Every structure is written in structure tokens, then in C-alpha cells.
Amino acid sequence: MKRPIALFTLFLMLIVFCVPAGASRLPAEELPARSVPAEVPASQQEWEVLRIANAERMNEGLLPLTMFAAMQAATDIRALELIELFSHTRPDGTDCFTVFDEVGVNWSSVGENIAAGYQTPAAVMDGWMNSPGHRANILNAGFKHIGVGYTYSQNSEYGAYWVQLFCTGWGCSYSSFEILGEADMSTPVDSLGLAGKFTCGEGPCYMPLTAAMCTGDVTENGVRTLTFTCFGLTASVSFDGGAPLLGDVDGNGAVDISDAVLTMRCAMGLITLTPEQFARANVNGDNSVDISDALLIMRMAMGII
């Protein structure tokens, strides 16, 4: 396979053009670890490109981008076209932005990045970010939405093809925010695979939710509540840990030294535990909280038992 193709950019009025390419499906071992909620119109590779692009934007103090179904339909078309003709000109001779008309996207400014030969989302994003024109598209403060396409053609010249389409609509703004996906009590926010679903003039829009967007992560009484703030909107989601975790006296989802200290202080009569804390501290099941419970919790925290 040839090495990744060079990238380039063209500017015209409000339109921003960039050249790196298309779309593809990588082997399973190459897929990002994060899951993609079923409602999101993107593959894992495409979702990971968006996550990295938004991290780059937020590092520069810019708002993240969201994707929506019509934009994804446009990138699906362009990704397949790149296999036939790796160019911002489509195989029918029209420029790449005519694809927006095909899928019904109204825009005030648009851009395209294409790339070929890169084998992972991280690799293609690194290529784009090290190309001034493509980097300018990704970090364009005027863009609001993105479509990401990826396809793989084994018998093609470059194998993997990637495309990013950018656009800004006419005065669309976000009016609602909800959180998609599931989590557990202890997984770090960046590994949860949560998605934000927003409503704007284009309909439902989506983006990965990350720790940089998280404004609250609180666990109380076995319930973890995550709060995210994006585009001036706030949404929260809570996860019940199910049955109380014995030994987790402070309810933070883990058994550690602080739980042993709380249990010891209760056994010494220095503090009074809530009924929920008492149930988690009573690890030996004798309906009392004493020194033996504190020692058991200490051993649990140390990984001995």
C-alpha cells in the first residue's frame, strides 16, 4: 500500500476546501475502545475522528462540532467517490460541495478535508493537523457541524479513504441537550462512551461527551451523577450501582482506606453512620459495626481479601 497521500487546501469566498480523503472499515483490532450509542449515525472510526477533532478545537478554546444524519449521508457519498477519484472534484465533474444539495443541507459556509492511506483515526487526524490547510478547517471557529466518512476498499489504490465535511447553517442554534449511553460506577468519563444529543435547526445532532465537558461527577449513596455543560446547555445522567458494595462506607464506588477509617471511628463511638453507611460497613453480617468490620475493610482495601 502506498504511504498516506499529501493534503492540501483551497479557499473561495465563504467556502473552505481541503484535500485529504475518504472512508473505510478497519479490522476489529484497529477499532477504538469507546462504544458508539446505537442512535448515533457514525461508525466507531468516524466517531473517534470527531472526538479527536473536538479535543483539538477545545484545546484552542473553540466550541466542539456536532454531526447529524444528513451530513453523515453526504460523507458516505463522498467517501465512496474518493475511491474512484481522489479529488475535491466529484466523478461527475462537479465540485465536492454539490453533495450538500443532494442530501438537503442548507449552508452559509462549508469545507472539506480528504485523506487516503491512513490506517487509524489517530493517524489521519495527525496528518490533517500537521497540514496547515486541513488544520485551518478543523480549527475554523465559524464551523458548527461536521460529517466524518470512512471506507475501505481492498483493491483500491490507497485502501482506506477518509473525508470530513464542515458546515454552518443559517442561524441555527441548539435548543435541547440529552445524554445517550450507559456507564458504571467507576469508569473514567473519557472511557464511558457517552454521547450528547442536541436539537438545532438541522434536527438531532450528536457528539462524544468527554471529561473536558463534564462539570460534575458526584457519587452519593451508591448513585453516580454526571453533569455536562455544552453550548450553554446542561444535562445530567445518574447511574445506580445496584446492590450496595460491602465495605464502600462513603459510597464512592470503591473500597479504600477512607472506608476503613470511617468504620473504625464508628466502632469507637466517634461518629454515627447513616443507615445506608451502616449496612455497607457491616461486612461480617453480625448487625453491628465494630473493630472486626474495620479490619476486614482494611484488608479489602489492601487487596488481601
Side-chain angles (χ1 to χ4, degrees):
M1 178 178 292
K2 296 185 178 181
R3 66 186 182 85
I5 203 162
L7 316 179
F8 64 88
T9 306
L10 170 68
F11 296 90
L12 176 61
M13 297 183 296
L14 294 179
I15 304 174
V16 186
F17 303 70
C18 265
V19 184
S24 160
R25 301 294 179 264
L26 297 178
E29 62 269 23
E30 297 286 358
L31 293 175
R34 299 171 187 82
S35 61
V36 182
E39 186 176 336
V40 173
S43 68
Q44 284 184 294
Q45 293 92 339
E46 294 159 353
W47 195 237
E48 179 70 357
V49 166
L50 175 53
R51 186 194 68 80
I52 298 171
N54 279 345
E56 296 286 0
R57 287 176 65 88
M58 295 183 74
N59 284 341
E60 297 296 326
L62 303 174
L63 291 175
L65 302 170
T66 62
M67 62 171 49
F68 56 90
M71 286 287 284
Q72 287 302 99
T75 59
D76 286 344
I77 294 170
R78 288 292 296 133
L80 293 174
E81 290 178 344
L82 291 172
I83 299 173
E84 182 178 351
L85 177 64
F86 185 75
S87 171
H88 290 303
T89 299
R90 303 178 67 185
D92 66 2
T94 62
D95 72 59
C96 56
F97 300 124
T98 60
V99 74
F100 286 98
D101 298 327
E102 279 185 36
V103 299
V105 174
N106 295 314
W107 51 270
S108 60
S109 61
V110 288
E112 179 179 83
N113 285 349
I114 60 175
Y118 294 91
Q119 294 303 297
T120 66
V124 73
M125 279 300 302
D126 183 66
W128 278 330
M129 289 303 294
N130 282 286
S131 168
H134 299 94
R135 178 187 177 91
N137 266 353
I138 293 167
L139 300 182
N140 187 327
F143 288 144
K144 188 166 189 173
H145 301 294
I146 189 174
V148 182
Y150 164 67
T151 195
Y152 187 86
S153 178
Q154 184 172 0
N155 297 320
S156 65
E157 186 174 7
Y158 293 102
Y161 295 83
W162 305 82
V163 61
Q164 292 176 324
L165 288 172
F166 305 87
C167 83
T168 301
W170 292 99
C172 61
S173 60
Y174 297 110
S175 58
S176 69
F177 173 24
E178 64 178 286
I179 298 172
L180 306 178
E182 300 179 354
D184 56 37
M185 293 297 292
S186 59
T187 300
V189 171
D190 278 338
S191 299
L192 287 173
L194 298 177
K197 177 182 179 182
F198 304 85
T199 300
C200 81
E202 304 295 343
C205 301
Y206 307 89
M207 72 178 184
L209 295 178
T210 64
M213 306 167 188
C214 184
T215 53
D217 185 351
V218 179
T219 300
E220 293 181 346
N221 298 322
V223 177
R224 183 185 188 187
T225 300
L226 296 171
T227 301
F228 294 86
T229 300
C230 308
F231 311 119
L233 302 171
T234 298
S236 297
V237 62
S238 296
F239 308 97
D240 188 338
L245 177 62
L246 283 179
D248 180 22
V249 182
D250 57 13
N252 70 351
V255 178
D256 50 34
I257 300 299
S258 65
D259 297 307
V261 172
L262 286 172
T263 304
M264 181 67 75
R265 288 171 61 81
C266 177
M268 297 171 65
L270 299 176
I271 62 171
T272 300
L273 301 178
T274 67
E276 293 83 4
Q277 290 174 324
F278 186 95
R280 293 193 290 267
N282 179 30
V283 293
N284 64 7
D286 64 357
N287 296 318
S288 66
V289 173
D290 50 31
I291 301 299
S292 65
D293 294 305
L295 292 175
L296 285 170
I297 293 173
M298 179 67 75
R299 289 167 64 82
M300 292 166 66
M302 297 172 66
I304 297 173
I305 60 173

